[in-house]
Amino acid sequence: MKRIVFSLLTASFACASISASSALADPRAKCGQEPSAPAITATDTAHYNASVDKFQAYEKEARAYNSCVASAAQKEEQAISEDARDRIAKIHAVSTGVQQRIAANFSHMSAELTTAGKKLAKH
């Protein structure tokens, strides 16, 4: 029973950390609300001119928002890349260590067997 409770707690903490890291990964998080595109009305000159003004204001806000999101995304991608590089390096170090130990064991055991074989061949 204790094992089941511990497993459930562990799973819930794991899910919470995954959702928390996913929320942090959203590049829009620090950029505020995305500006809404205005409706264009060109029924007459006054509405057309007002639409042009709304479009220009939207264009300025949208470009700033897009720049913010792109910058935040680039920072997040770089952090993910660095984390992946670090994780890969650790995994590679473990794998290389195992390969080196096994190769050393094979070499040592082969030398021992060769020496023992020569000794036994003399008898």
Side-chain angles (χ1 to χ4, degrees), residues 42-118:
T43 55
D44 56 39
T45 304
H47 283 98
Y48 172 81
N49 288 338
S51 291
V52 169
D53 291 342
K54 288 178 187 179
F55 168 76
Q56 289 173 339
Y58 168 74
E59 181 181 26
K60 184 178 178 181
E61 291 175 16
R63 287 184 187 277
Y65 181 79
N66 185 55
S67 178
C68 178
V69 171
S71 177
Q74 184 178 15
K75 288 176 186 175
E76 189 67 27
E77 289 167 4
Q78 183 65 33
I80 291 168
S81 179
E82 289 171 7
D83 180 53
R85 189 174 20 258
D86 292 345
R87 291 175 61 196
I88 289 169
K90 289 175 186 175
I91 291 167
H92 182 74
V94 168
S95 176
T96 301
V98 167
Q99 291 171 8
Q100 290 171 347
R101 282 191 303 277
I102 289 173
N105 288 341
F106 285 163
S107 180
H108 177 73
M109 290 169 30
S110 180
E112 284 184 0
L113 288 171
T114 300
T115 301
K118 288 178 183 178

Side-chain angles (χ1 to χ4, degrees), residues 1-8:
M1 183 65 172
K2 288 182 183 179
R3 239 187 233 183
I4 293 172
V5 171
F6 179 74
S7 296
L8 290 173

